[in-house]
């Protein structure tokens, strides 16, 4: 079982979209028992009195438009204990990466990566812009999908069936 934690600033847009996009891809491949996904925030700004805000409605709408199933998701805070609980900790932008390293006290096992570093054709800028500010949930979801497909390909090289070059590979 490979455990993946997607991380962004507030855990109401990008990281929950990544969580549900990856779950959808994993389900399409029939490898749900091999890959577990979750998401978390580096900031408490969307968590009030220990209760996280729900996924942003525009993020939900974009998932729905793509036919991607999702469940109720509330923002959760990244904790130091998460480092030992997950095999991959995937950040949406450099800021999240820096904040996660601060929360974890470093990255000795090299678990922290940017999602777009897995994309088949990595962009010059590996940051996925926050759609909370840009309003562009379509481009955000496209980038997340490209990164998740690349991550699945990388998992395939570790023995998990994955998408590789448009084909299923082991």
């Amino acid at each position: 079982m490979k455990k993946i934690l997607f991380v962004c600033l507030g855990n109401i847009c990008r990281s929950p979209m990544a969580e549900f996009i990856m779950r959808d891809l994993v389900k399409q491949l029939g490898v749900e028992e091999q890959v577990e996904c979750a998401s978390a925030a580096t900031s408490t700004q969307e968590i009030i009195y220990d209760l996280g805000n729900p996924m942003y409605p525009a993020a939900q709408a974009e998932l729905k438009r793509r036919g991607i199933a999702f469940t109720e998701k509330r923002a959760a805070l990244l904790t130091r204990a998460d480092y030992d609980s997950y095999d991959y900790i995937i950040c949406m932008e450099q800021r999240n990466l820096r904040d996660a390293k601060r929360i974890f006290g470093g990255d000795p096992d090299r678990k922290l990566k940017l999602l777009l570093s897995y994309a088949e054709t990595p962009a010059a800028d590996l940051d996925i812009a926050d759609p909370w500010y840009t309003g562009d949930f379509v481009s955000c979801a496209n980038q997340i999908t490209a990164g998740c497909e690349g991550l699945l390909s990388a998992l395939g090289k570790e023995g998990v069936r994955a998408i590789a070059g448009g084909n299923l590979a082991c």
Side-chain angles (χ1 to χ4, degrees):
M1 167 75 72
K2 296 294 180 185
K3 295 179 71 176
I4 304 166
L5 183 64
F6 294 101
V7 177
C8 72
L9 181 67
N11 193 218
I12 62 167
C13 296
R14 294 172 294 175
S15 59
M17 287 174 71
E19 175 184 346
F20 291 113
I21 287 170
M22 182 62 103
R23 285 183 184 187
D24 184 66
L25 292 170
V26 164
K27 183 177 180 182
Q28 288 176 37
L29 292 174
V31 294
E32 302 100 306
E33 71 285 347
Q34 295 180 55
V35 181
E36 182 180 309
C37 303
S39 61
T42 59
S43 164
T44 59
Q45 71 184 37
E46 295 296 336
I47 302 168
I48 302 162
Y49 301 115
D50 294 328
L51 179 63
N53 286 329
M55 187 175 14
Y56 192 61
Q60 292 180 27
E62 183 56 28
L63 291 175
K64 189 177 287 185
R65 187 182 75 75
R66 292 168 183 258
I68 295 172
F70 57 91
T71 57
E72 181 179 347
K73 168 69 183 167
R74 291 194 167 271
L77 188 61
L78 185 68
T79 67
R80 182 169 233 147
D82 289 329
Y83 194 82
D84 293 329
S85 298
Y86 291 91
D87 301 301
Y88 296 86
I89 302 166
I90 308 299
C91 299
M92 301 297 123
E93 64 181 335
Q94 291 288 338
R95 176 183 177 183
N96 310 142
L97 199 63
R98 282 190 308 272
D99 290 344
K101 281 182 183 176
R102 178 186 45 78
I103 291 166
F104 297 141
D107 182 21
D109 299 328
R110 297 180 181 248
K111 295 179 179 188
L112 286 164
K113 299 263 191 295
L114 291 171
L115 181 58
L116 282 182
S117 70
Y118 288 100
E120 185 175 314
T121 314
D125 180 5
L126 295 179
D127 286 353
I128 297 174
D130 193 336
W132 171 265
Y133 300 106
T134 67
D136 188 355
F137 287 84
V138 173
S139 293
C140 178
N142 288 342
Q143 289 180 310
I144 288 170
T145 301
C148 286
E149 287 173 346
L151 177 55
L152 275 173
S153 181
L155 290 174
K157 292 174 183 152
E158 294 183 21
V160 175
R161 283 184 36 208
I163 296 172
N167 301 314
L168 291 180
C170 291

